[in-house]
Amino acid sequence: KILTSKAFGIPIMLLMLGAIFWITIAGANYPSELLSTFFGFLEEQLRMFMEFINAPIWLTQMLLDGVFRTGAWVVSVMLPPMAIFFPLFTLLEDVGYLPRVAFNMDKFFKKANAHGKQALSMCMGFGCNACGVMGCRIIDSPRERFIAILTNSFVPCNGRLPQPKPHTSSPVFTLYKMSDKRYTEWASHRLTKQRPQAQRKTRILQW
């Protein structure tokens, strides 16, 4: 009765969901930093391997600066929050609190011709929109389910949340600076190795 009461239902729900979001954001910093450090070290080793096999610069840029670095950023930024958010959300489901959330929000969603269960799929959408859309199957009415699927796409998921400007302690900024510095050193080393051969060709042409 307390969780679904008019006086305490909504405040408890906001407090509970706010605590989950805070734990997700605050707790994801440390594993994100570990992942970025690991991928930075792995990128350095791969760059040394590309230099060892004398790979062309365009191939190194495409594989490491393009594919690998982008994948490393995505995993470092998105994986830790999702790994924290969804287990906590599942815990609320196991203890039976999520049906109370749907009951509390049903009155507000009815004003928009939607169902209160859509609140659950929208909460899941903050972690991943794909999971939120798949979670819309809990809504019985096809019309309300279709509305939930369409509107759930507007929820800013973890990958679309606006990121703050990077600072020196940001793991993503650190990964970028480390990789950019390593690439500059690697390119300078390659040019230094190729310079004697280029000078030799120049002398031959002058002769």
Side-chain angles (χ1 to χ4, degrees):
K1 293 182 178 180
I2 297 178
L3 297 178
T4 56
S5 63
K6 295 182 179 180
F8 300 103
I10 300 297
I12 292 176
M13 180 194 68
L14 295 177
L15 182 63
M16 192 78 66
L17 295 179
I20 289 180
F21 284 127
W22 181 83
I23 294 174
T24 301
I25 296 174
N29 290 331
Y30 184 69
S32 180
E33 183 178 357
L34 291 179
L35 286 174
S36 63
T37 304
F38 168 74
F39 284 122
F41 172 77
L42 185 59
E43 181 180 352
E44 181 181 2
Q45 301 302 316
L46 292 175
R47 198 175 295 278
M48 293 173 59
F49 174 75
M50 298 295 285
E51 180 183 356
F52 175 75
I53 63 176
N54 199 21
I57 296 180
W58 65 267
L59 182 61
T60 303
Q61 291 178 344
M62 181 181 66
L63 294 180
L64 296 183
D65 300 335
V67 178
F68 181 83
R69 188 182 297 180
T70 303
W73 285 356
V74 170
V75 173
S76 300
V77 174
M78 294 187 61
L79 181 60
M82 293 178 64
I84 297 175
F85 176 78
F86 285 112
L88 292 177
F89 204 73
T90 304
L91 180 62
L92 291 182
E93 181 181 6
D94 293 339
V95 299
Y97 181 69
L98 293 186
R100 277 74 180 175
V101 174
F103 178 82
N104 292 331
M105 299 300 296
D106 187 61
K107 178 181 179 181
F108 301 98
F109 277 87
K110 275 187 176 180
K111 295 181 179 180
N113 296 324
H115 198 279
K117 292 181 180 179
Q118 184 177 343
L120 307 181
S121 63
M122 293 182 69
C123 290
M124 293 181 64
F126 282 101
C128 179
N129 278 131
C131 298
V133 171
M134 292 179 61
C136 294
R137 64 178 181 269
I138 64 176
I139 302 176
D140 299 326
S141 172
R143 176 180 173 277
E144 294 173 344
R145 188 188 311 124
F146 184 69
I147 294 175
I149 292 174
L150 291 180
T151 55
N152 197 86
S153 302
F154 296 100
V155 177
C157 68
N158 182 42
R160 293 188 295 177
L161 285 175
Q163 299 294 332
K165 292 184 178 180
H167 48 83
T168 54
S169 61
S170 173
V172 177
F173 181 78
T174 304
L175 176 62
Y176 171 77
K177 293 298 291 183
M178 290 172 60
S179 58
D180 186 65
K181 181 180 179 182
R182 293 190 187 103
Y183 171 73
T184 304
E185 295 175 352
W186 173 80
S188 301
H189 180 64
R190 287 294 301 271
L191 292 176
T192 304
K193 288 179 59 179
Q194 296 176 359
R195 190 171 299 162
Q197 185 178 2
Q199 292 177 354
R200 181 174 178 273
K201 291 181 179 180
T202 303
R203 288 196 299 267
I204 293 175
L205 291 176
Q206 290 177 353
W207 180 79

